[in-house]
Amino acid sequence: MLRWLLVCISLWVALPAWAASVSLSVSTSKLAVSQATRATVTVLGAQPVGIPVFEPVDGLSLRYVTQTSTPVSTVDQGIVYARRYVFEVEAERVGTYALGPAEVALPGGATVASPPVTITVTERSAEAQDAPLVATSRFLEDTVWEGEVVLYTAEVRARKPIRNVAWALPKFEGLQQVGQGEERQYGVLDPSGDITVNDVTVAMLASGTGDRTQAPAVARVSVLQPGGGPWGLPQTRTRSIAGQEAPLTVRPLPPPPPGFNGLVGDYDLRSSFGTTEGIAVGQSVPWVVEIVGDGVVDGVELPIPELPEARIYRDTTESVGRLVEGRWMARKRFQLVLVPTAPGTLELPPLELVTFSPSQGRYVTVKAQLGTLTVVGEGARVDVQTFGADGEIAGPEPVDLVDIYGWGPATTPPLAPLIPFGLVLAVLPGVLVLGLDGRDGVRSWWSSRTVRRAVAVRGRGRLRSLPSEPSERLAVLDLALREALADHVSTPVSQLRRAEALDAVVMDTRTVVEGAFTALDLARFAGGAVPPDVDELVRAAIDALETR
Amino acid sequence: MIAFVAASLAGPVWDGATRWEEGDIEGAVAAWAPAADAGWGSARIKFDLGNAWYRRGDLPRAIAYWRAAGHLAPRESGVSRNIAIARSELPADTPPPAGDPALWMRVVTPGELGIAAWLLTIAGSVGLVRRRRLREGSRTPWVALTVTGLLVGAIATRGWWHQVQSPVAVVIDAPAQARSAPDPTAAGHLQLPPGSEVAVVDASNGFLLVQTGDGERGWVPDGAVLRVPR
């Protein structure tokens, strides 16, 4: 019946609270001869001894592949390890087979087993002629009760590589989605070419009665084209493919008995007290009650008994529900506080909830036995005689802590307080060098400024204070004239060639300048008398050069 | 190195681990606790002691020592994992933990960042000295390196100072009544269950002003909490 059966999570309903559970699931329950799929045995909350064992099935061959171990968050057990053992199941002959139960050995000699799953094997010829892309959509049950949670699944099977499957689901008139849907993609091994399967499952609450047949789901699929596209990039072609109409009939509930609170599903009621070592009058005893089942628990309220020798206070409530391994699971936790008001034996009546069980088709009363508490006078402490429901509760397998270090230093000198001192020491040489560089820079700037000032006295400036000694006076006049000429022709004084420079001067100025040079040369180098107006000649020549 | 290995194999970590393997949890605690509480306890010994407290069923002390180990070894994934496991077992009314470190302190410790800052700064300084001696190259990259080192060092110092000034404490043994003033007769307005991780804001008169992860404040007796050991 089911496309992919995920049956065995039901142990959390059947077994005592927090015990280990084993489930068996297969990726697909429909195979053709020679096709293979994966079967996974999941063990929650226990460390198995060895790998799970199956009874041989004539018509199927089973091969162990691998195992993994990961912590998972479960609805009813908190965080526990999920150990998954993966097998490859190959169909050998046509028929309907029960695979399992998978038996898992636990430490101490105990054995737990999963319910079997059904695998249907069809003729290979029919499967081989399948279209390259096939979609199906349906409810996992055709008939449900009003208020029951039913799963809707849509699936696309492709013989070509596919990616980016986008589903358009029907509007689900008369149904309400609860929780998040679940989508997965897996492969089926086939000698004619492996098959890729993408399916989506959503949980729906049947809120309306009558015929609730739904329109087909439509998948929009990107099919990878053989050969790829340019530059070696994958090339895809988008195709839309529709499944089938999904028939569903919702039956109305029979007239409810007194006390029915609307819960439709198979439920378990759990109770535990937080304090286990002595209860005194007036002491607050934490009390947790949980309703766990495969229906919707959001709106349910817990009937609190009234006790003459204790007061009960409501604290917080928390509800959660989601798809776990293909099955809808929900839990509502009530946190209460019980305060005994008198010493003695406190008889606690059982908690009772009237629910409708779809599997039995009738109303049932779910109970949790609370037992008795022994209460002593204020301040005394004695052991609790009984508590909780159904005898001793096995503690959950704790998630393994990361183990201790077996060796290593016992002490570690703290480094952080030394950071400022270390930084000061580290930066000191750099700061010192920067200081020295700065000092050098200041000096360099000062000396260059002084040189600039000295160099600025040139040409006409030299005439402002001429030496009195004749030869020095002539030398300064000559230097001043040469500087003026050099500036006039834009040539450094040291590279000045007088004849070439004079050729670059206009005739009038050149005559004046040549006259001044001649007078100076005669006086300095030819032993001639110093002309009395040599100062004026040089000044006039410099004026002429600077004017031009 | 030889001395380090010898000390590691003969020290309290080794002694406690030996007792732990023999199932003697009390003996392991006796071996680890003095060194862990001595002031310079290593991340390993604090981590191991956290495991021992957890096995003894004392979640608050386990969380305190694991958080201390996390301060010293923030990249150890086992620390955060174990803390998460312990927190998941606390009562539902436990306030959210306070004093989570800054993002960068979940990757490096202030000491490690300080060493990196010191190396950057010393590299910049040496570069400047060498450049001056050889009279070649630009001083800009070396100045930039030095300044970067100083900035990183400032961040590391600030992180360390924050750890010192705002320690974390865990409520131990029994629920702590948070009061409006550091006085046993002051009105209590907040009940902190064991395992509550709070930031210590102030201290006065034998009381600590603590703040929960959701911002609630109150004064609790000093003995009601265990400060996360450093």
Side-chain angles (χ1 to χ4, degrees):
Chain A
M1 285 290 290
L2 303 181
R3 170 71 59 186
W4 33 273
L5 288 177
L6 298 165
V7 178
C8 359
I9 298 295
S10 55
L11 278 184
W12 59 268
V13 173
L15 293 178
W18 300 301
S21 67
V22 181
S23 64
L24 170 62
S25 64
V26 287
S27 297
T28 178
S29 63
K30 279 182 63 179
L31 292 172
V33 173
S34 300
Q35 286 186 341
T37 188
R38 293 199 156 188
T40 304
V41 179
T42 304
V43 183
L44 288 176
Q47 169 69 62
V49 178
I51 64 172
V53 178
F54 288 85
E55 286 292 325
V57 181
D58 188 17
L60 298 176
S61 76
L62 202 64
R63 185 174 68 85
Y64 173 69
V65 179
T66 185
Q67 68 166 299
T68 60
S69 176
T70 53
V72 296
S73 175
T74 63
V75 169
D76 57 338
Q77 298 184 40
I79 299 174
V80 297
Y81 266 111
R83 295 176 174 85
R84 294 187 176 89
Y85 300 85
V86 180
F87 296 81
E88 187 178 292
V89 183
E90 184 176 353
E92 294 178 330
R93 284 202 303 278
V94 174
T96 300
Y97 304 99
L99 177 64
E103 292 191 351
V104 178
L106 300 177
T111 302
V112 288
S114 73
V117 296
T118 303
I119 294 180
T120 304
V121 181
T122 58
E123 287 287 354
R124 170 153 190 79
S125 55
E127 182 72 21
Q129 291 170 4
D130 272 355
L133 209 56
V134 178
T136 57
S137 55
R138 61 199 186 90
F139 289 101
L140 297 190
E141 293 175 77
D142 297 335
T143 304
V144 297
W145 292 93
E146 178 186 4
E148 186 180 350
V149 172
V150 60
L151 300 188
Y152 176 87
T153 182
E155 173 189 281
V156 61
R157 300 167 72 90
R159 286 190 172 274
K160 294 179 177 179
I162 59 173
R163 59 171 57 175
N164 301 334
V165 179
W167 285 100
L169 300 180
K171 292 183 177 176
F172 293 118
E173 291 179 4
L175 304 171
Q176 293 176 11
Q177 183 172 345
V178 289
Q180 298 290 320
E182 186 178 68
E183 184 174 357
R184 60 182 192 147
Q185 187 158 315
Y186 57 89
V188 174
L189 307 178
D190 187 282
S192 304
D194 294 346
I195 301 173
T196 304
V197 183
N198 179 285
D199 63 25
V200 60
T201 303
V202 291
M204 309 299 302
L205 174 68
S207 53
T209 57
D211 181 11
R212 295 295 170 184
T213 300
Q214 302 296 324
V218 179
R220 190 175 168 84
V221 184
S222 297
V223 182
L224 285 173
Q225 299 300 302
W231 317 108
L233 297 174
Q235 188 174 24
T236 60
R237 183 180 170 193
T238 303
R239 290 193 53 189
S240 292
I241 183 166
Q244 299 80 32
E245 280 194 342
L248 179 71
T249 301
V250 181
R251 291 190 287 181
L253 293 177
F260 176 60
N261 53 17
L263 283 178
V264 179
D266 291 311
Y267 291 96
D268 190 18
L269 192 57
R270 304 168 180 173
S271 163
S272 65
F273 292 95
T275 302
T276 60
E277 295 180 1
I279 298 175
V281 172
Q283 179 179 345
S284 297
V285 180
W287 181 18
V288 175
V289 178
E290 289 184 336
I291 301 170
V292 184
D294 57 3
V296 176
V297 295
D298 289 343
V300 67
E301 285 300 328
L302 187 70
I304 303 291
E306 290 193 2
L307 304 174
E309 297 173 334
R311 291 175 185 160
I312 300 172
Y313 302 94
R314 293 177 185 271
D315 193 351
T316 60
T317 60
E318 166 194 281
S319 62
V320 60
R322 63 171 179 265
L323 285 166
V324 178
E325 302 283 327
R327 178 173 176 140
W328 172 256
M329 298 172 68
R331 182 200 69 193
K332 187 160 189 177
R333 170 182 285 184
F334 299 87
Q335 292 194 315
L336 311 164
V337 177
L338 183 146
V339 182
T341 55
T345 300
L346 179 59
E347 296 282 351
L348 297 170
L351 284 178
E352 294 185 351
L353 277 178
V354 178
T355 67
F356 183 83
S357 168
S359 61
Q360 301 179 47
R362 61 186 179 87
Y363 290 96
V364 298
T365 301
V366 182
K367 295 183 179 180
Q369 299 296 336
L370 304 182
T372 59
L373 297 176
T374 299
V375 182
V376 297
E378 193 169 0
R381 298 179 67 83
V382 296
D383 290 336
V384 177
Q385 290 180 343
T386 60
F387 70 95
D390 301 331
E392 189 176 354
I393 296 176
E397 180 205 16
V399 174
D400 292 339
L401 294 177
V402 175
D403 204 3
I404 63 164
Y405 292 100
W407 66 283
T411 57
T412 306
L415 295 173
L418 304 176
I419 296 171
F421 306 103
L423 287 177
V424 169
L425 289 177
V427 80
L428 214 52
V431 170
L432 195 62
V433 166
L434 287 177
L436 292 174
D437 283 353
R439 186 200 62 182
D440 292 350
V442 170
R443 281 183 178 173
S444 171
W445 170 79
W446 184 256
S447 58
S448 66
R449 187 167 178 269
T450 307
V451 168
R452 276 201 305 275
R453 277 184 176 175
V455 169
V457 180
R458 55 187 286 128
R460 176 187 296 277
R462 297 190 186 279
L463 302 183
R464 284 199 291 269
S465 104
L466 292 170
S468 55
E469 201 281 325
S471 62
E472 291 181 5
R473 187 181 187 92
L474 289 173
V476 170
L477 289 171
D478 182 68
L479 176 60
L481 187 55
R482 287 170 57 81
E483 286 173 349
L485 180 59
D487 290 346
H488 184 79
V489 298
S490 302
T491 302
V493 177
S494 58
Q495 297 174 12
L496 182 69
R497 293 183 180 179
R498 197 166 75 190
E500 293 176 6
L502 287 172
D503 287 343
V505 179
V506 296
M507 185 55 69
D508 294 347
T509 305
R510 178 178 174 176
T511 304
V512 176
V513 174
E514 278 183 338
F517 272 124
T518 302
L520 286 170
D521 291 344
L522 287 173
R524 294 183 65 197
F525 308 118
V530 178
D533 58 347
V534 67
D535 289 5
E536 296 306 322
L537 288 172
V538 171
R539 193 179 303 274
I542 290 173
D543 285 345
L545 287 169
E546 290 184 350
T547 303
R548 299 281 176 179
Chain B
M1 178 58 74
I2 293 173
F4 173 80
V5 173
S8 299
L9 292 178
V13 178
W14 178 270
D15 293 343
T18 306
R19 298 182 190 184
W20 173 276
E21 295 298 332
E22 294 168 352
D24 180 10
I25 305 298
E26 301 297 330
V29 171
W32 288 328
D37 295 334
W40 286 10
S42 68
R44 291 194 167 196
I45 205 162
K46 287 172 179 168
F47 179 84
D48 288 355
L49 192 54
N51 277 30
W53 283 117
Y54 180 86
R55 290 296 180 219
R56 286 174 62 172
D58 194 331
L59 294 180
R61 284 184 172 79
I63 291 173
Y65 281 96
W66 282 330
R67 286 200 66 159
H71 284 155
L72 298 171
R75 293 181 300 282
E76 284 290 341
S77 60
V79 174
S80 52
R81 178 190 162 84
N82 285 5
I83 290 176
I85 290 172
R87 283 175 179 166
S88 72
E89 297 172 19
L90 293 173
D93 58 346
T94 307
D100 277 343
L103 281 178
W104 67 265
M105 288 169 70
R106 299 174 191 181
V107 181
V108 296
T109 66
E112 291 168 341
L113 194 66
I115 290 177
W118 185 82
L119 290 174
L120 287 173
T121 309
I122 202 75
S125 276
V126 168
L128 286 170
V129 171
R130 185 172 175 275
R131 179 199 154 274
R132 179 174 174 81
R133 179 170 293 178
L134 300 178
R135 301 282 180 192
E136 63 183 23
S138 167
R139 79 161 70 91
T140 306
W142 304 114
V143 171
L145 203 58
T146 307
V147 171
T148 304
L150 291 175
L151 288 176
V152 173
I155 293 171
T157 305
R158 188 178 183 281
W160 164 69
W161 189 247
H162 179 75
Q163 279 186 345
V164 172
Q165 291 299 304
S166 303
V168 176
V170 182
V171 177
I172 55 172
D173 298 333
Q177 187 69 252
R179 302 182 185 278
S180 57
D183 187 321
T185 61
H189 62 283
L190 181 64
Q191 183 93 348
L192 297 172
S196 302
E197 299 162 64
V198 294
V200 179
V201 180
D202 199 0
S204 175
N205 196 26
F207 279 75
L208 299 176
L209 178 60
V210 299
Q211 179 171 319
T212 63
D214 50 9
E216 295 278 354
R217 285 191 171 196
W219 293 89
V220 298
D222 199 344
V225 298
L226 172 66
R227 295 194 200 208
V228 170
R230 302 200 173 280

